[in-house]
Amino acid sequence: MKVSKVLLVVVILATLAALVGCAAPAAAPATSNQATTSDQAAPADQAAPAEQGKKTYKDLVVGYAQLGAESEWRTANTASIKETADELGVTLKFSDAQQKQENQIKAIRSFIAQGVDVIGVPPVVETGWETVFKEAQDAGIPIILVDRRADVPEDMYVSYLGSDFVEEGRKAGNEMNKLLPDGGKIVELVGTVGSAPANDRFSGFRETLNPNIEIIDSQSGDFTRAKGKEVMEAFLKKYGNEITALYAHNDDMALGAIQAIEEYGLKPGEDIKIVSIDAVRGAFQAMIDGKLNVTVECNPLLGPQFYDLALKVVNGEEVPKWLPSAESVYYPDNAAEVLPTRQY
Ligand code: GYE
């Protein structure tokens, strides 16, 4: 019995050993999996030298195909792009397209020829970018959309840094509802035709506007003060006292319209309520003067986030497809208090 007990123990041990032995090959794939993982992790293991090989702001050469100088917003945006490059030591190649897509395309082609690391572009209009973006892609130069979106497949740009223009339009609609609780007839100054902010501020506004408010006319003022004034003059000529309020897609057009309304002999902000977008300093002054009722913020100070994205992109780091900016709404009651704190 003792012998058979010993035998049993031996058999059990042998079985266990065999099992362990069997387990070994079974574990092998796991080991090789680990090997695969560590193979994949190899670049990370070599992270130290790779880190050293990473670019810094001082190595970065960026081309920025600015769209123009049409508004206070744009002036602040250009300053942010230029000043931040100086502060960080980034080499910036900057061009101003004077609101013309063909000039932006030319600038992008010249940046490609110069072999910059990254191209930043605020597309003046949404369509017509695929050919030139493809040229940049073929040259291995990443495109970052800044401020305005382009209507291209998502793989043609690495990231979009900018505002939620639809949300801005919705906010403007809500503000108009508050100003006109009993309804009214309004006119609209649209931004540059075909641009992302004009398209989205147009549609977002209509999402929230009360049905008792009628939009009696809607024309483009191309985001400029001069055009805003001119179009408002035409509105006044056509509709006169019928107009109860104005929705302007940016502050500059609202400021131009304010002049037109005063020249026509009506009080902006009272006889004709005004809601606009951007929250530039000129809008705060107009609110202090009682000539503008609301401005919805759109942040132009995109320089720091832009170069942060650009550096991450050239170093192969992951970046979000859309980086939205945080924005507010401002009213006349505290405009005097807020104005000195505004950076644009
Ligand atoms: O609101 C307007 C400017 O693209 C967000 O362009 C920008 C717009 C801004 O001219 O003032």
Side-chain angles (χ1 to χ4, degrees), residues 99-120:
Q99 294 245 73
K100 291 202 175 77
Q101 181 173 34
E102 61 197 89
N103 291 345
Q104 279 192 297
I105 292 174
K106 264 188 220 153
I108 294 172
R109 291 203 166 119
S110 122
F111 297 147
I112 296 172
Q114 293 173 67
V116 300
D117 296 315
V118 179
I119 294 172

Side-chain angles (χ1 to χ4, degrees), residues 128-139:
W129 295 101
E130 292 205 19
T131 308
V132 72
F133 283 11
K134 177 84 177 34
E135 288 167 24
Q137 208 169 34
D138 290 348

